């Protein structure tokens, strides 16, 4: 491809661009096809990589100016690593891409009649629009869970959890009664998927190795860690043998696992299970559900209750020309996946790559390639030297699975610096049993609770 193809838009400054219409976003003019991508997660990034050398203009829209490696959020939340080790700025990531423009904004509404996307920076005209905004925590319309608990779907969530856990441990250290020490140091985690299991395992290590050194005022038995799951087993997408192995690992490190136990309420101090059990804790982490981050202007019949958007085998939204959805937002129903593909990184990565190929084929009027998910396996870590992995027809548990998990996650991080820093951090933690990131950088501001401790009433 000749370099001159890019000079149409890539070398212009915003000051040189005429924006005659009020409300238009300031982006470089181009005579090439413009592909607007909303969201810089796994799906959006892999789509962009596939379009790198094509004669198109790419406009990336994201509310943050960085990519987040969500698979390690739990380690930030539990003081294992620092947040800047798992995020990477878009502008640095794509500073060698001559056909990409980044704008930090939020998508608001699709005007399909005029091929326009309205954003917080104004509208942008598109030839192709790709929604890859991912998902956010789904509290299932329970305002008490939302107000009194915390999700784990962004780096901000992870920092909030870390700050609140550490702040509450400080409160526990200065309280005299056993009840209050248990209340502030204990943790309820709702959801037995990878995020819940890995968070529980990391907190078990914190309790064993950090609590006695940092908080001599507290006993290990003061800190209860509860993992609550509504289904009859953990990691329901994995073979049953590995689900049971996960439960054994967690109970072995002191996690109180509650299966077949839907939660019905949380008041900020007490979690009420439907079986009548009450779990006392001022720390409530919700990992039990997600919903898509959608925009206005989509057909009502294309969006389901979890805000996932119905797409065909080519990730196209029916009745909306040139609008595509990939990643967690996409609901592609197939014989093998009647409820859509699992919300995992590999689906997003593969859909991004497949759509890049199909966009090129569309422009050249060639036969499109339907998306077919190639399941490369799944894994989860339960803490030090313990993990489970299901790869093809092989199943692993224990130290070898932990090595596989560690290697895959390390090489998947963006940036050489991040890989090195996380690798050194993990090695230090492994050798010293220490976590060196127990800092309250910014305090977590509690929402005002209307109720007092139940045990004081």
């Amino acid at each position: 491809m000749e370099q001159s193809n890019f000079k149409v838009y890539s070398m212009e400054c915003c000051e040189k661009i005429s924006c005659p219409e009020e409300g238009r976003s300031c982006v470089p003019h181009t005579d090439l096809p413009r592909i607007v991508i909303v969201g810089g997660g796994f799906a959006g990034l892999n789509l962009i990589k596939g379009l790198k050398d094509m004669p198109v203009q790419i406009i990336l829209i994201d509310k943050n100016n960085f990519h987040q490696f969500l698979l390690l959020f739990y380690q930030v939340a539990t003081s294992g690593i620092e947040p800047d080790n798992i995020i990477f700025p878009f502008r640095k990531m794509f500073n060698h891409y001559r056909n990409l423009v980044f704008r930090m904004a939020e998508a608001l509404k699709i005007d399909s009649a005029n091929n326009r996307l309205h954003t917080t920076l104004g509208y942008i005209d598109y030839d192709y629009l790709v929604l890859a905004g991912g998902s956010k925590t789904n509290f299932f319309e329970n305002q008490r869970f939302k107000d009194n608990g915390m999700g784990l779907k962004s780096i901000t969530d992870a920092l909030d959890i870390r700050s609140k856990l550490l702040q509450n441990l400080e409160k526990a250290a200065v309280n005299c009664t056993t009840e209050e020490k248990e209340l502030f140091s204990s943790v309820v985690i709702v959801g037995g998927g990878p995020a819940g299991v890995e968070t529980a395992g990391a907190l078990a290590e914190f309790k064993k190795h950090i609590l006695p050194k940092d908080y001599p005022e507290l006993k290990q038995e003061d800190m209860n860690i509860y993992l609550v799951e509504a289904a009859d087993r953990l990691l329901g997408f994995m073979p049953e043998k590995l689900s049971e192995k996960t439960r054994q690992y967690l109970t072995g490190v002191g996690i109180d696992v509650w299966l077949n136990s839907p939660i019905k309420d949380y008041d900020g101090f007490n979690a009420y299970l439907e079986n009548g059990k009450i779990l006392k804790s001022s720390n409530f982490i919700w990992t039990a559900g997600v919903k898509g981050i959608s925009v206005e202007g989509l057909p009502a019949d294309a969006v389901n209750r979890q805000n996932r958007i119905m797409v065909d085998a080519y990730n196209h939204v029916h009745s909306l020309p040139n609008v595509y959805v990939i990643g967690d937002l996409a609901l592609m129903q197939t014989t093998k996946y009647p409820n859509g593909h699992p919300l995992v990184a590999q689906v997003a990565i593969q859909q991004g790559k497949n759509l890049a190929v199909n966009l090129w084929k569309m422009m050249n009027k060639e036969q499109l390639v339907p998306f077919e998910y190639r399941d490369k396996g799944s894994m989860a870590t339960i803490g030090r030297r313990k993990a489970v992995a299901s790869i093809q027809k092989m199943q692993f548990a224990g130290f070898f699975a932990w090595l596989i998990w560690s290697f895959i996650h390390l090489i998947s991080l963006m940036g050489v610096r991040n890989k090195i820093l996380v690798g050194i951090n993990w090695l230090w933690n492994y050798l010293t049993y220490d976590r060196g990131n127990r800092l309250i950088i910014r305090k977590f501001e509690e929402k005002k609770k209307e109720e007092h401790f139940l045990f004081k009433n």
Side-chain angles (χ1 to χ4, degrees):
M1 188 181 306
E2 294 183 4
Q3 190 175 3
S4 60
N5 286 342
F6 296 106
K7 291 182 180 179
V8 176
Y9 55 87
S10 66
M11 303 305 292
E12 294 185 7
C13 296
C14 205
E15 289 79 6
K16 298 180 181 179
I17 303 167
S18 174
C19 299
E21 297 181 38
E22 184 178 354
R24 176 182 292 179
S25 179
C26 196
V27 295
H29 171 74
T30 180
D31 293 325
L32 298 176
R34 175 181 287 165
I35 302 172
V36 177
I37 302 171
V38 180
F42 290 118
L45 290 194
N46 281 274
L47 172 58
I48 291 170
K49 291 176 182 178
L51 297 171
K52 178 180 180 180
D53 296 320
M54 295 186 187
V56 297
Q57 184 192 48
I58 307 167
I59 306 291
L60 172 61
I61 303 292
D62 198 289
K63 67 178 181 179
N64 299 308
N65 73 334
F66 52 82
H67 167 73
Q68 309 178 77
F69 191 75
L70 57 89
L71 303 180
L72 294 181
F73 283 163
Y74 81 94
Q75 291 205 7
V76 174
T78 57
S79 304
I81 56 178
E82 282 299 321
D84 61 348
N85 293 168
I86 61 170
I87 59 178
F88 202 84
F90 291 126
R91 291 190 179 275
K92 183 176 181 179
M93 189 184 305
F94 298 122
N95 59 13
H96 297 301
Y97 282 57
R98 298 180 61 84
N99 63 341
L100 182 136
V101 177
F102 170 70
R103 291 291 180 263
M104 192 170 75
E106 292 188 57
L108 301 176
K109 183 178 180 180
I110 301 170
D111 179 3
S112 58
N114 296 300
N115 279 6
R116 285 178 178 172
L117 174 70
H118 292 269
T119 77
T120 50
L121 290 179
Y123 70 80
I124 301 174
D125 294 323
Y126 63 82
D127 294 296
Y128 300 93
L129 174 63
V130 182
L131 302 180
S135 57
K136 60 183 178 181
T137 302
N138 186 1
F139 291 99
F140 299 100
E141 309 303 324
N142 189 310
Q143 195 62 36
R144 299 256 282 185
F145 292 160
K146 185 176 182 179
D147 289 344
N148 299 320
M150 296 176 289
L152 187 54
K153 282 298 292 180
S154 71
I155 198 69
T156 303
D157 290 341
L159 284 170
D160 283 344
I161 291 172
R162 184 174 82 173
S163 293
K164 184 174 183 181
L165 289 175
L166 294 175
Q167 286 170 223
N168 277 347
L169 284 174
E170 295 296 337
K171 291 179 182 178
V174 298
N175 273 284
C176 297
T177 69
T178 300
E179 292 168 305
E180 288 180 341
K181 288 182 183 295
E182 290 182 358
L183 175 78
F184 287 115
S185 60
S186 297
V187 185
V188 173
I189 305 164
V190 182
V197 165
E198 291 175 346
T199 302
L203 285 174
E205 289 190 347
F206 186 101
K207 173 182 175 179
K208 181 177 181 181
H209 301 298
I210 303 302
L211 193 73
K213 294 186 298 183
D214 280 18
Y215 301 93
E217 304 90 346
L218 302 176
K219 301 176 182 178
Q220 287 195 40
E221 53 265 31
D222 291 334
M223 186 178 185
N224 300 307
I225 304 171
Y226 305 102
L227 181 59
V228 180
E229 169 57 43
D232 60 355
R233 63 189 181 99
L234 304 172
L235 302 177
F237 57 90
M238 278 195 170
E240 192 167 348
K241 178 182 176 181
L242 294 182
S243 293
E244 176 57 23
K245 196 70 176 177
T246 300
R247 188 194 65 79
Q248 292 174 9
Y249 281 151
L250 288 171
T251 55
V253 294
I255 306 298
D256 195 353
V257 179
W258 289 82
L259 301 177
N260 296 304
S261 302
I263 187 165
K264 64 178 183 179
D265 193 18
Y266 178 68
D267 60 15
F269 304 108
N270 300 277
Y272 300 89
L273 308 186
E274 287 192 357
N275 60 13
K277 178 68 177 179
I278 300 175
L279 308 177
K280 294 185 180 298
S281 171
S282 189
N283 304 291
F284 185 87
I285 303 173
W286 181 271
T287 68
V290 297
K291 61 181 179 181
I293 302 174
S294 189
V295 298
E296 293 184 31
L298 292 162
D301 59 350
V303 183
N304 77 349
R305 293 175 61 186
Q306 283 74 47
N307 276 355
R308 297 184 74 185
I309 303 166
M310 296 282 293
V311 296
D312 62 18
Y314 309 100
N315 287 95
H316 176 249
V317 182
H318 74 84
S319 77
L320 287 186
N322 300 337
V323 178
Y324 300 83
V325 183
I326 54 178
D328 286 0
L329 264 180
L331 178 60
M332 184 186 296
Q333 295 176 311
T334 65
T335 303
K336 186 175 182 180
Y337 300 101
N339 298 316
H341 294 90
L343 304 181
V344 296
Q346 270 302 317
V347 172
I349 291 169
Q350 293 177 32
Q351 286 187 345
K353 292 178 178 179
N354 190 72
L355 183 57
V357 172
N358 280 337
L359 286 173
W360 178 246
K361 288 181 176 294
M362 271 182 268
M363 294 177 212
N364 290 277
K365 303 187 186 310
E366 297 178 7
Q367 182 67 37
L368 303 185
V369 180
F371 175 72
E372 185 175 348
Y373 176 48
R374 296 176 296 282
D375 189 352
K376 295 184 178 181
S378 53
M379 58 188 70
T381 180
I382 297 94
R384 186 183 181 85
R385 299 172 62 89
K386 295 183 181 69
V388 291
S390 175
I391 304 173
Q392 302 298 330
K393 295 183 179 180
M394 298 180 290
Q395 300 177 21
F396 306 97
F399 180 65
F400 185 62
W402 179 76
L403 286 178
I404 296 174
W405 181 95
S406 300
F407 176 75
I408 293 297
H409 284 69
L410 194 61
I411 65 171
S412 299
L413 281 167
M414 292 289 176
V416 175
R417 172 185 173 276
N418 285 355
K419 290 180 174 67
I420 293 173
L421 289 176
V422 171
I424 291 174
N425 216 322
W426 285 355
L427 181 61
W428 178 260
N429 292 347
Y430 184 81
L431 295 176
T432 66
Y433 294 87
D434 190 24
R435 289 168 175 256
N437 303 290
R438 302 180 296 278
L439 305 173
I440 305 173
I441 302 298
R442 54 175 177 75
K443 289 188 176 181
F444 176 77
E445 297 296 332
E446 293 266 15
K447 295 179 181 178
K448 184 178 179 181
K449 297 184 176 72
E450 298 178 357
E451 300 179 39
H452 298 289
F453 307 165
L454 292 192
F455 54 77
K456 286 189 173 183
N457 290 345

